[in-house]
Amino acid sequence: MAQAHWGCCPWLVLLCALGAWGHPKSVDLTAEDVRNCLISPPYLPVTVVNTTAQLTALRQQMHIQNLFAYIIPETDAHMSEYIGTRDKRRAWMTGFTGSAGTAVVTMGKAGLWTDSRYWTQAERQMDCNWELHKEVDTASIVVWLLTEVPAGKRVGFDPFLFSIGSWESYNMALMNSNIKLVSITPNLVDQAWGSEKPLVLSQPIYVLQEAFTGNTWQKKVSDIRSQMQKHPKAPTAVLLSALDETAWLFNLRGSDIPYNPFFYSYTLLTDSSIRLFVNRSCLNSETLKYLNSSCTGSMCVQVEDYSQVRHNVQAYASGKVKIWIGTSYTTYGLYEVIPTEKLIEDTYSPVMVTKAVKNSKEQALLRASHVRDAVAVIRYLVWLEKNVPKGTVDEFSGAELLNKFRGKEQFSSGPSFETISASGLNAALAHYSPTKELHRKLSSDEMYLLDSGGQYWDGTTDITRTVHWGTPSAFQKEAYTRVLIGNIDLSRLIFPANTSGRMMEVFARRALWDVGLNYGHGTGHGIGNFLCVHEWPVGFQYNNIPMAKGMFTSIEPGYYQDGEFGIRLEDVALVVEAKTKYPGSYLTFEVVSLVPYDRNLIDVSLLSPEQLQYLNHYYQTIREKVGPELQQRQLLEEFEWLQQHTEPLSAKAPHTAPLASLLAVSSLAILGCRV
């Protein structure tokens, strides 16, 4: 980035001279370490990013395009959850690196809208150029635009960064305002970023081995075409925009996106042809042969240049066709070139819905990945129990070690998201992640929340455990136990087939609601086979599809005491048939995450007999599935830890003995056997 000028915050010059800005140090964050732009001089923590130069460059581009305002979402052209560095336009403009939020820049002001998960983070990262709006809905952004933008002026946006729903919301709200919403390409932030914008690196696209796939790509294509033929509106093509759709359809993987094994791509699957829009240089000769790219038949994949998708879709739409799209992941950049009468719109494409239901092979693969993942997490928990009391472990170094443990597991392909390793007050920020410069020490006197996952060739994992190595307060134990009850009650629920997740989500909250507690995030999400860690459309929100046998979802209630501690317990579960007294089509969940909960935080007196029975059965399952794996790999210390932490609980459960005592007893037992 070009040399910046500090603008409204001249005191930062002093920090730079002292080295606080140019040479980041390890910082122990506090709840009060946030900016205050209302005092003179303003207070800004050392974590802020100066954005004066970025705003100046963008406003120059806006002036050229005759725009008074410009909207900057945090997404890419595929509505991806995790985006490549080159697509982090909002982060570059604002300094705020949270995964959710929208920035709007006018000729005189700049604002960021984000949700409660990120308010503190935004205050720690943004300078005084930016207003923080603690709302996320389009309506609040439009109200601000109507206040700040004069009548007759233009508001610009990149159509490839707007979902169809986003465009409709803004367009309808501004329609009668005498303010014009205009689609502008190329992206103006890219123009302002210039030569310093990260380059697109040509990463290889590879074929996932048959042993790790549920079906061949040819069978998947045939299945989608069969759905097209049966559709009452007779679509002639399906347009795929989400990156996991193309990756799943062709059993291909890449590394263009952080944490997800994807590559930039689109697919136009017609009744007689297959067009894959991708960077051809990323495909080697073997992959091209695998795709039958040298022929032109209905089962031959025509490889087209990624940048030509809009032109190709527009040309195809000029014929006598019907194009089937999923509106959740199709951007306005493609939507606007397809005539309305030639569109067939569903919330999710047939590929998105089809891959949500795993066949028996895919289920077995995911189960296997969770056994190995449990080994990595247990190794980490054992290590923490020994080392946290020494005062040598911090949030970041801990997360790094867990990544190393996972990396040693068979078929590992890196983490599935940025590890949430949060101690004490940081755990109250539901999606906090430490950095090398910004983190806290782990302490035996504080709660520690660990939300992490791995990518493996046979599956994707996501698990959260919260622990306390010292003496938790009565309130902490009660809150933890009520979160656990919510996890258990939803996990053991029996429900009719095709029940919507939002209809059953209350079971995860009921124990908290009983005493006036709650949590502000969703209760669960789908998960893929070496695909997305947050895989739509499965979950417990209003826009998820009904639950069906073969789906995987997370179950993750929590509780967060602002400025003090946070609790979350997350497991991945498979939807399976339920055994009921009377015949009928009923389902339940089979938990496939296999790491015990912290006995030190469980108040057994709050558990019902049914909940206690469920928990003890779950612990027995962990012993049966993970115990042999630990023994086979000679991880005897971890095996002994597992045995103790899965002892059946009773109404008067004994307090877990320290690990050192446990090892001493185990050693004596071993010696005794030798005598």
Side-chain angles (χ1 to χ4, degrees):
M1 185 174 67
Q3 182 64 41
H5 300 283
W6 297 117
C8 72
C9 306
W11 71 275
L12 282 173
V13 175
L14 176 60
L15 282 178
C16 285
L18 295 174
W21 184 270
H23 301 86
K25 300 177 181 178
S26 176
V27 178
D28 222 0
L29 297 175
T30 68
E32 294 74 30
D33 196 16
V34 298
R35 66 179 184 155
N36 186 345
C37 293
L38 299 178
I39 61 176
S40 181
Y43 171 74
L44 293 179
V46 296
T47 50
V48 299
V49 175
N50 174 43
T51 60
T52 302
Q54 292 95 306
L55 286 166
T56 299
L58 177 61
R59 285 171 176 145
Q60 289 174 348
Q61 295 298 324
M62 291 165 57
H63 177 74
I64 293 171
Q65 295 289 341
N66 190 28
L67 299 175
F68 190 84
Y70 192 67
I71 304 171
I72 310 166
E74 179 75 355
T75 189
D76 62 10
H78 307 275
M79 302 289 107
S80 302
E81 178 182 11
Y82 301 111
I83 59 177
T85 305
R86 63 186 296 272
D87 290 314
K88 293 184 177 181
R89 300 174 178 90
R90 192 222 59 212
W92 181 77
M93 283 301 309
T94 66
F96 166 62
T97 59
S99 64
T102 299
V104 182
V105 177
T106 71
M107 282 303 186
K109 289 188 177 181
L112 173 80
W113 284 255
T114 191
D115 63 59
S116 59
R117 296 173 297 166
Y118 298 108
W119 292 345
T120 301
Q121 180 180 345
E123 292 282 17
R124 287 171 174 171
Q125 292 182 316
M126 295 195 307
D127 65 10
C128 294
N129 286 311
W130 292 89
E131 300 175 356
L132 174 61
H133 297 266
K134 297 181 177 182
E135 300 169 287
V136 293
D137 58 297
T138 301
S140 63
I141 298 177
V142 169
V143 168
W144 189 82
L145 285 170
L146 292 172
T147 302
E148 300 295 334
V149 179
K153 297 296 184 179
R154 303 186 343 145
V155 176
F157 71 98
D158 181 344
F160 281 95
L161 300 184
F162 263 48
S163 68
I164 297 168
S166 293
W167 173 79
E168 289 175 341
S169 297
Y170 282 102
N171 191 53
M172 288 293 292
L174 294 172
M175 187 174 292
N176 299 318
S177 66
N178 200 22
I179 295 174
K180 188 175 183 182
L181 184 67
V182 292
S183 168
I184 299 289
T185 55
N187 186 282
L188 298 192
V189 175
D190 290 351
Q191 300 290 93
W193 210 339
S195 61
E196 295 194 9
K197 180 183 176 182
L199 298 174
V200 181
L201 300 178
S202 297
Q203 301 290 343
I205 298 171
Y206 59 94
V207 178
L208 188 61
Q209 297 176 31
E210 186 176 346
F212 303 110
T213 63
N215 278 311
T216 65
W217 71 259
Q218 290 92 339
K219 186 168 188 318
K220 292 179 180 180
V221 165
S222 297
D223 179 44
I224 301 303
R225 281 177 170 158
S226 177
Q227 294 184 47
M228 291 165 59
Q229 294 168 2
K230 296 174 183 177
H231 196 289
K233 295 184 179 180
T236 62
V238 173
L239 176 61
L240 305 179
S241 294
L243 298 183
D244 59 331
E245 294 179 310
T246 291
W248 175 86
L249 183 64
F250 296 112
N251 296 328
L252 296 175
R253 299 295 189 268
S255 54
D256 289 347
I257 301 295
Y259 308 115
N260 289 333
F262 303 150
F263 49 94
Y264 292 114
S265 58
Y266 296 94
T267 296
L268 184 64
L269 173 62
T270 79
D271 49 11
S272 60
S273 66
I274 311 168
R275 302 183 199 180
L276 171 61
F277 299 90
V278 71
N279 182 352
R280 189 183 182 96
S281 66
C282 297
L283 300 170
N284 61 28
S285 57
E286 290 183 3
T287 305
L288 290 171
K289 182 179 180 181
Y290 163 82
L291 294 170
N292 298 334
S293 63
S294 61
C295 57
T296 57
S298 63
M299 279 296 179
C300 303
V301 180
Q302 303 169 34
V303 179
E304 308 277 0
D305 188 81
Y306 174 81
S307 65
Q308 295 301 306
V309 62
R310 180 177 163 114
H311 172 75
N312 272 259
V313 169
Q314 188 171 22
Y316 179 78
S318 65
K320 189 177 179 180
V321 298
K322 289 278 188 179
I323 303 176
W324 192 1
I325 66 169
T327 56
S328 292
Y329 290 91
T330 305
T331 66
Y332 185 68
L334 294 179
Y335 182 80
E336 67 177 341
V337 301
I338 306 173
T340 304
E341 67 275 10
K342 297 183 179 183
L343 275 169
I344 298 174
E345 301 179 39
D346 280 321
T347 304
Y348 304 105
S349 79
V351 166
M352 193 68 77
V353 174
T354 300
K355 72 179 176 61
V357 177
K358 278 60 175 176
N359 62 29
S360 58
K361 181 181 177 182
E362 291 167 324
Q363 293 173 28
L365 289 167
L366 261 169
R367 282 194 183 98
S369 70
H370 279 81
V371 172
R372 298 193 310 279
D373 195 71
V375 171
V377 176
I378 289 170
R379 292 184 68 186
Y380 179 58
L381 291 176
V382 171
W383 183 88
L384 286 177
E385 193 168 310
K386 293 188 298 182
N387 288 278
V388 168
K390 300 176 184 177
T392 58
V393 186
D394 62 60
E395 296 166 329
F396 183 76
S397 66
E400 291 282 281
L401 180 62
L402 177 57
N403 287 340
K404 290 181 181 178
F405 281 142
R406 277 201 171 97
K408 294 178 180 179
E409 294 301 317
Q410 190 177 28
F411 310 138
S412 175
S413 187
S416 57
F417 58 96
E418 186 175 17
T419 298
I420 297 171
S421 173
S423 180
L425 61 90
N426 284 341
L429 306 173
H431 290 76
Y432 161 87
S433 291
T435 67
K436 188 175 183 180
E437 294 78 29
L438 303 173
H439 52 252
R440 299 183 80 242
K441 282 281 181 68
L442 271 59
S443 168
S444 297
D445 299 323
E446 292 186 326
M447 302 273 261
Y448 175 59
L449 188 155
L450 176 71
D451 186 347
S452 66
Q455 289 285 10
Y456 304 91
W457 294 347
D458 51 351
T460 303
T461 68
D462 184 1
I463 185 171
T464 308
R465 291 294 181 263
T466 305
V467 297
H468 196 302
W469 299 282
T471 305
S473 69
F475 176 59
Q476 288 176 329
K477 289 189 69 170
E478 179 182 1
Y480 181 96
T481 306
R482 291 186 179 277
V483 171
L484 176 59
I485 289 171
N487 183 299
I488 291 173
D489 284 353
L490 185 50
S491 297
R492 62 188 290 267
L493 183 68
I494 295 175
F495 53 93
N498 293 317
T499 299
S500 171
R502 66 186 174 88
M503 299 296 291
M504 61 182 84
E505 193 242 16
V506 64
F507 285 88
R509 299 180 185 269
R510 185 173 59 180
L512 290 164
W513 287 358
D514 282 345
V515 292
L517 304 179
N518 202 2
Y519 55 93
H521 55 72
T523 297
H525 55 79
I527 195 161
N529 279 80
F530 192 30
L531 289 168
C532 288
V533 70
H534 302 135
E535 183 177 77
W536 289 82
V538 176
F540 298 94
Q541 300 184 53
Y542 74 93
N543 52 353
N544 291 135
I545 61 177
M547 292 288 179
K549 179 183 174 182
M551 291 180 173
F552 282 83
T553 182
S554 72
I555 295 174
E556 49 181 302
Y559 174 71
Y560 309 90
Q561 183 71 19
D562 190 33
E564 295 185 29
F565 65 88
I567 301 164
R568 186 161 62 252
L569 296 174
E570 176 185 16
D571 295 304
V572 171
L574 169 64
V575 181
V576 297
E577 290 183 2
K579 296 179 180 179
T580 55
K581 180 178 180 180
Y582 301 105
S585 183
Y586 284 81
L587 303 172
T588 189
F589 297 107
E590 174 197 327
V591 173
V592 298
S593 300
L594 298 167
V595 177
Y597 309 110
D598 186 4
R599 299 166 75 91
N600 192 32
L601 282 163
I602 300 175
D603 182 350
V604 181
S605 68
L606 295 176
L607 299 177
S608 70
E610 294 80 11
Q611 292 159 352
L612 190 59
Q613 180 183 22
Y614 173 91
L615 185 56
N616 286 332
H617 180 267
Y618 173 59
Y619 277 180
Q620 182 61 31
T621 301
I622 294 176
R623 284 188 169 197
E624 293 172 357
K625 293 183 180 296
V626 182
E629 185 77 12
L630 294 171
Q631 287 180 304
Q632 180 182 349
R633 293 164 57 174
Q634 295 296 301
L635 296 171
L636 302 184
E637 183 179 347
E638 287 80 2
F639 176 76
E640 293 296 339
W641 181 94
L642 179 67
Q643 291 297 102
Q644 191 204 23
H645 284 73
T646 54
E647 281 290 328
L649 288 162
S650 62
K652 294 183 179 180
H655 182 76
T656 301
L659 182 63
S661 300
L662 168 67
L663 295 177
V665 172
S666 299
S667 299
L668 289 173
I670 293 172
L671 290 173
C673 289
R674 290 175 179 172
V675 175

